[in-house]
Amino acid sequence: MLFNESLNDIERDIKNCKRCPLYKERTNPVPGEGGFKKKIMFIGEAPGKNEDLQGRPFVGKAGELLDRLMSEIGLSRDDVYITNVIKCRPPNNREPNDSEIIACRTYLIRQINALKPKIIVCLGRISSRVIAQMFNIQFTSISRDHGKVFKSPIRPIKVFFTYHPAAALYNRVTLRDLEEDFKILKKIIEETEGSQ
Ligand code: URA
């Protein structure tokens, strides 16, 4: 078990990682980034084409929507750390498989241990499933559990599930749900700040 390691140590290991075959086709790994002023982590699924080219999370169309949703509730990228379950792009943006998720999970665990977030926001089904399992939370489905906050029984962390912004790009109903979820998230952030 590694204690008190820095994000730089984790980033270095991600850049050298060969734990699954995805490293062979990547242009850049995407470890994650952000300022973390509010002790909030946003966790997506995996880098897409733009993220792979730039080595930065959520810089394409889904990222533009995420930026808008965050700014509407007063959050900037300096406030939150943004990363993904998988740090390298799966070919043709396919869903990551279980062995890739297991191989990459070690980095997510290390990032969470290094950052000690108060709130984790799971963007989409894959991230929700992985984080729920990590923190002993009962997660059923995004359509049922989105917009709800769950307290981990094993760590002082609140977990919030919502849709992946990419799912809302061409679906107005999902977009409306996502916008409503962010309003709920704003309240949870305020409550969490108020209880410190
Ligand atoms: N989708 C994700 O899940 N993560 C990104 O970084 C970009 C798109």
PDB file of all heavy atoms in Angstrom, residues 30 43-48 51 56-60 62-63 82-84 123 164-166, ligand 1:
ATOM      1  N   VAL A  30      -4.142   9.697 -20.572  1.00  0.00           N
ATOM      2  CA  VAL A  30      -4.869  10.844 -20.004  1.00  0.00           C
ATOM      3  C   VAL A  30      -5.029  10.606 -18.502  1.00  0.00           C
ATOM      4  O   VAL A  30      -6.023  10.033 -18.057  1.00  0.00           O
ATOM      5  CB  VAL A  30      -6.245  11.001 -20.697  1.00  0.00           C
ATOM      6  CG1 VAL A  30      -6.974  12.230 -20.164  1.00  0.00           C
ATOM      7  CG2 VAL A  30      -6.092  11.090 -22.209  1.00  0.00           C
ATOM      8  N   ILE A  43     -15.438  11.707 -12.310  1.00  0.00           N
ATOM      9  CA  ILE A  43     -14.834  10.532 -12.939  1.00  0.00           C
ATOM     10  C   ILE A  43     -15.681  10.080 -14.132  1.00  0.00           C
ATOM     11  O   ILE A  43     -16.855   9.721 -13.977  1.00  0.00           O
ATOM     12  CB  ILE A  43     -14.668   9.380 -11.919  1.00  0.00           C
ATOM     13  CG1 ILE A  43     -13.837   9.874 -10.721  1.00  0.00           C
ATOM     14  CG2 ILE A  43     -13.991   8.178 -12.585  1.00  0.00           C
ATOM     15  CD1 ILE A  43     -13.653   8.857  -9.610  1.00  0.00           C
ATOM     16  N   GLY A  44     -15.077  10.164 -15.325  1.00  0.00           N
ATOM     17  CA  GLY A  44     -15.744   9.722 -16.546  1.00  0.00           C
ATOM     18  C   GLY A  44     -15.349   8.294 -16.888  1.00  0.00           C
ATOM     19  O   GLY A  44     -14.876   7.536 -16.032  1.00  0.00           O
ATOM     20  N   GLU A  45     -15.540   7.942 -18.150  1.00  0.00           N
ATOM     21  CA  GLU A  45     -15.335   6.542 -18.561  1.00  0.00           C
ATOM     22  C   GLU A  45     -13.916   6.310 -19.108  1.00  0.00           C
ATOM     23  O   GLU A  45     -13.122   5.600 -18.488  1.00  0.00           O
ATOM     24  CB  GLU A  45     -16.388   6.209 -19.620  1.00  0.00           C
ATOM     25  CG  GLU A  45     -16.345   4.794 -20.113  1.00  0.00           C
ATOM     26  CD  GLU A  45     -17.495   4.520 -21.080  1.00  0.00           C
ATOM     27  OE1 GLU A  45     -18.648   4.885 -20.775  1.00  0.00           O
ATOM     28  OE2 GLU A  45     -17.229   3.951 -22.151  1.00  0.00           O
ATOM     29  N   ALA A  46     -13.622   6.925 -20.228  1.00  0.00           N
ATOM     30  CA  ALA A  46     -12.319   6.702 -20.880  1.00  0.00           C
ATOM     31  C   ALA A  46     -12.068   7.849 -21.852  1.00  0.00           C
ATOM     32  O   ALA A  46     -13.018   8.473 -22.332  1.00  0.00           O
ATOM     33  CB  ALA A  46     -12.337   5.380 -21.636  1.00  0.00           C
ATOM     34  N   PRO A  47     -10.798   8.124 -22.187  1.00  0.00           N
ATOM     35  CA  PRO A  47     -10.529   9.202 -23.141  1.00  0.00           C
ATOM     36  C   PRO A  47     -11.119   8.877 -24.513  1.00  0.00           C
ATOM     37  O   PRO A  47     -11.174   7.716 -24.916  1.00  0.00           O
ATOM     38  CB  PRO A  47      -8.994   9.220 -23.235  1.00  0.00           C
ATOM     39  CG  PRO A  47      -8.488   8.403 -22.094  1.00  0.00           C
ATOM     40  CD  PRO A  47      -9.576   7.471 -21.697  1.00  0.00           C
ATOM     41  N   GLY A  48     -11.566   9.903 -25.217  1.00  0.00           N
ATOM     42  CA  GLY A  48     -11.984   9.768 -26.610  1.00  0.00           C
ATOM     43  C   GLY A  48     -10.863  10.273 -27.512  1.00  0.00           C
ATOM     44  O   GLY A  48      -9.719  10.462 -27.067  1.00  0.00           O
ATOM     45  N   GLU A  51      -9.207  13.679 -26.446  1.00  0.00           N
ATOM     46  CA  GLU A  51      -8.473  13.522 -25.192  1.00  0.00           C
ATOM     47  C   GLU A  51      -7.165  12.765 -25.443  1.00  0.00           C
ATOM     48  O   GLU A  51      -6.116  13.123 -24.914  1.00  0.00           O
ATOM     49  CB  GLU A  51      -9.337  12.759 -24.166  1.00  0.00           C
ATOM     50  CG  GLU A  51     -10.543  13.534 -23.649  1.00  0.00           C
ATOM     51  CD  GLU A  51     -11.704  13.643 -24.625  1.00  0.00           C
ATOM     52  OE1 GLU A  51     -11.772  12.816 -25.570  1.00  0.00           O
ATOM     53  OE2 GLU A  51     -12.554  14.548 -24.456  1.00  0.00           O
ATOM     54  N   ARG A  56      -5.451  15.251 -22.287  1.00  0.00           N
ATOM     55  CA  ARG A  56      -6.239  15.938 -21.248  1.00  0.00           C
ATOM     56  C   ARG A  56      -7.667  15.393 -21.238  1.00  0.00           C
ATOM     57  O   ARG A  56      -8.220  15.086 -22.303  1.00  0.00           O
ATOM     58  CB  ARG A  56      -6.290  17.446 -21.529  1.00  0.00           C
ATOM     59  CG  ARG A  56      -4.926  18.109 -21.550  1.00  0.00           C
ATOM     60  CD  ARG A  56      -5.069  19.597 -21.779  1.00  0.00           C
ATOM     61  NE  ARG A  56      -5.963  20.171 -20.785  1.00  0.00           N
ATOM     62  CZ  ARG A  56      -6.813  21.178 -21.036  1.00  0.00           C
ATOM     63  NH1 ARG A  56      -6.891  21.718 -22.227  1.00  0.00           N
ATOM     64  NH2 ARG A  56      -7.591  21.627 -20.078  1.00  0.00           N
ATOM     65  N   PRO A  57      -8.303  15.319 -20.053  1.00  0.00           N
ATOM     66  CA  PRO A  57      -9.658  14.756 -19.989  1.00  0.00           C
ATOM     67  C   PRO A  57     -10.735  15.745 -20.446  1.00  0.00           C
ATOM     68  O   PRO A  57     -10.602  16.954 -20.231  1.00  0.00           O
ATOM     69  CB  PRO A  57      -9.832  14.454 -18.489  1.00  0.00           C
ATOM     70  CG  PRO A  57      -8.978  15.466 -17.804  1.00  0.00           C
ATOM     71  CD  PRO A  57      -7.797  15.716 -18.723  1.00  0.00           C
ATOM     72  N   PHE A  58     -11.757  15.217 -21.057  1.00  0.00           N
ATOM     73  CA  PHE A  58     -12.960  15.985 -21.410  1.00  0.00           C
ATOM     74  C   PHE A  58     -12.632  17.297 -22.138  1.00  0.00           C
ATOM     75  O   PHE A  58     -12.961  18.385 -21.661  1.00  0.00           O
ATOM     76  CB  PHE A  58     -13.805  16.254 -20.154  1.00  0.00           C
ATOM     77  CG  PHE A  58     -14.601  15.043 -19.726  1.00  0.00           C
ATOM     78  CD1 PHE A  58     -14.120  14.197 -18.739  1.00  0.00           C
ATOM     79  CD2 PHE A  58     -15.809  14.731 -20.327  1.00  0.00           C
ATOM     80  CE1 PHE A  58     -14.837  13.060 -18.357  1.00  0.00           C
ATOM     81  CE2 PHE A  58     -16.533  13.610 -19.955  1.00  0.00           C
ATOM     82  CZ  PHE A  58     -16.044  12.771 -18.969  1.00  0.00           C
ATOM     83  N   VAL A  59     -11.981  17.172 -23.290  1.00  0.00           N
ATOM     84  CA  VAL A  59     -11.681  18.369 -24.087  1.00  0.00           C
ATOM     85  C   VAL A  59     -12.475  18.399 -25.400  1.00  0.00           C
ATOM     86  O   VAL A  59     -12.339  19.336 -26.180  1.00  0.00           O
ATOM     87  CB  VAL A  59     -10.162  18.498 -24.391  1.00  0.00           C
ATOM     88  CG1 VAL A  59      -9.400  18.871 -23.139  1.00  0.00           C
ATOM     89  CG2 VAL A  59      -9.603  17.230 -25.018  1.00  0.00           C
ATOM     90  N   GLY A  60     -13.314  17.378 -25.653  1.00  0.00           N
ATOM     91  CA  GLY A  60     -14.137  17.371 -26.863  1.00  0.00           C
ATOM     92  C   GLY A  60     -15.525  17.926 -26.582  1.00  0.00           C
ATOM     93  O   GLY A  60     -15.718  18.731 -25.663  1.00  0.00           O
ATOM     94  N   ALA A  62     -18.232  16.455 -25.365  1.00  0.00           N
ATOM     95  CA  ALA A  62     -18.754  16.105 -24.033  1.00  0.00           C
ATOM     96  C   ALA A  62     -18.118  17.003 -22.974  1.00  0.00           C
ATOM     97  O   ALA A  62     -18.772  17.413 -22.007  1.00  0.00           O
ATOM     98  CB  ALA A  62     -18.490  14.628 -23.726  1.00  0.00           C
ATOM     99  N   GLY A  63     -16.841  17.335 -23.182  1.00  0.00           N
ATOM    100  CA  GLY A  63     -16.140  18.219 -22.248  1.00  0.00           C
ATOM    101  C   GLY A  63     -16.703  19.634 -22.269  1.00  0.00           C
ATOM    102  O   GLY A  63     -16.799  20.283 -21.219  1.00  0.00           O
ATOM    103  N   ILE A  82     -10.552  16.165 -12.517  1.00  0.00           N
ATOM    104  CA  ILE A  82     -11.319  15.381 -13.496  1.00  0.00           C
ATOM    105  C   ILE A  82     -10.442  14.246 -14.026  1.00  0.00           C
ATOM    106  O   ILE A  82      -9.313  14.479 -14.472  1.00  0.00           O
ATOM    107  CB  ILE A  82     -11.788  16.263 -14.673  1.00  0.00           C
ATOM    108  CG1 ILE A  82     -12.619  17.431 -14.159  1.00  0.00           C
ATOM    109  CG2 ILE A  82     -12.594  15.433 -15.668  1.00  0.00           C
ATOM    110  CD1 ILE A  82     -13.130  18.369 -15.256  1.00  0.00           C
ATOM    111  N   THR A  83     -10.967  13.037 -13.956  1.00  0.00           N
ATOM    112  CA  THR A  83     -10.235  11.898 -14.509  1.00  0.00           C
ATOM    113  C   THR A  83     -11.227  10.891 -15.075  1.00  0.00           C
ATOM    114  O   THR A  83     -12.431  11.162 -15.147  1.00  0.00           O
ATOM    115  CB  THR A  83      -9.293  11.273 -13.441  1.00  0.00           C
ATOM    116  OG1 THR A  83      -8.453  10.299 -14.072  1.00  0.00           O
ATOM    117  CG2 THR A  83     -10.055  10.636 -12.299  1.00  0.00           C
ATOM    118  N   ASN A  84     -10.706   9.751 -15.491  1.00  0.00           N
ATOM    119  CA  ASN A  84     -11.534   8.687 -16.054  1.00  0.00           C
ATOM    120  C   ASN A  84     -11.195   7.355 -15.394  1.00  0.00           C
ATOM    121  O   ASN A  84     -10.112   7.199 -14.825  1.00  0.00           O
ATOM    122  CB  ASN A  84     -11.257   8.556 -17.555  1.00  0.00           C
ATOM    123  CG  ASN A  84     -11.830   9.718 -18.346  1.00  0.00           C
ATOM    124  OD1 ASN A  84     -13.031   9.930 -18.371  1.00  0.00           O
ATOM    125  ND2 ASN A  84     -10.954  10.493 -18.983  1.00  0.00           N
ATOM    126  N   LEU A 123     -19.674  10.077 -13.703  1.00  0.00           N
ATOM    127  CA  LEU A 123     -20.317  10.454 -14.961  1.00  0.00           C
ATOM    128  C   LEU A 123     -20.553   9.185 -15.784  1.00  0.00           C
ATOM    129  O   LEU A 123     -19.629   8.634 -16.382  1.00  0.00           O
ATOM    130  CB  LEU A 123     -19.432  11.428 -15.736  1.00  0.00           C
ATOM    131  CG  LEU A 123     -19.075  12.724 -14.995  1.00  0.00           C
ATOM    132  CD1 LEU A 123     -17.972  13.483 -15.715  1.00  0.00           C
ATOM    133  CD2 LEU A 123     -20.320  13.612 -14.857  1.00  0.00           C
ATOM    134  N   HIS A 164     -23.569  10.384 -18.245  1.00  0.00           N
ATOM    135  CA  HIS A 164     -22.364  10.847 -18.936  1.00  0.00           C
ATOM    136  C   HIS A 164     -22.768  11.991 -19.867  1.00  0.00           C
ATOM    137  O   HIS A 164     -23.764  11.877 -20.581  1.00  0.00           O
ATOM    138  CB  HIS A 164     -21.765   9.684 -19.749  1.00  0.00           C
ATOM    139  CG  HIS A 164     -20.382   9.987 -20.217  1.00  0.00           C
ATOM    140  ND1 HIS A 164     -20.114  10.954 -21.157  1.00  0.00           N
ATOM    141  CD2 HIS A 164     -19.187   9.484 -19.832  1.00  0.00           C
ATOM    142  CE1 HIS A 164     -18.807  11.018 -21.347  1.00  0.00           C
ATOM    143  NE2 HIS A 164     -18.226  10.138 -20.553  1.00  0.00           N
ATOM    144  N   PRO A 165     -21.992  13.099 -19.879  1.00  0.00           N
ATOM    145  CA  PRO A 165     -22.383  14.212 -20.752  1.00  0.00           C
ATOM    146  C   PRO A 165     -22.526  13.802 -22.221  1.00  0.00           C
ATOM    147  O   PRO A 165     -23.371  14.358 -22.937  1.00  0.00           O
ATOM    148  CB  PRO A 165     -21.240  15.221 -20.586  1.00  0.00           C
ATOM    149  CG  PRO A 165     -20.540  14.853 -19.337  1.00  0.00           C
ATOM    150  CD  PRO A 165     -20.818  13.414 -19.050  1.00  0.00           C
ATOM    151  N   ALA A 166     -21.744  12.821 -22.683  1.00  0.00           N
ATOM    152  CA  ALA A 166     -21.862  12.399 -24.095  1.00  0.00           C
ATOM    153  C   ALA A 166     -23.260  11.853 -24.373  1.00  0.00           C
ATOM    154  O   ALA A 166     -23.784  12.006 -25.484  1.00  0.00           O
ATOM    155  CB  ALA A 166     -20.803  11.349 -24.425  1.00  0.00           C
TER     156      ALA A 166
HETATM  157  N1  URA B   1     -15.582  10.789 -22.268  1.00  0.00           N
HETATM  158  C1  URA B   1     -15.052  10.377 -21.106  1.00  0.00           C
HETATM  159  O1  URA B   1     -15.592   9.525 -20.422  1.00  0.00           O
HETATM  160  N2  URA B   1     -13.918  10.929 -20.712  1.00  0.00           N
HETATM  161  C2  URA B   1     -13.282  11.865 -21.396  1.00  0.00           C
HETATM  162  O2  URA B   1     -12.233  12.318 -20.950  1.00  0.00           O
HETATM  163  C3  URA B   1     -13.867  12.298 -22.600  1.00  0.00           C
HETATM  164  C4  URA B   1     -15.012  11.745 -23.026  1.00  0.00           C
END
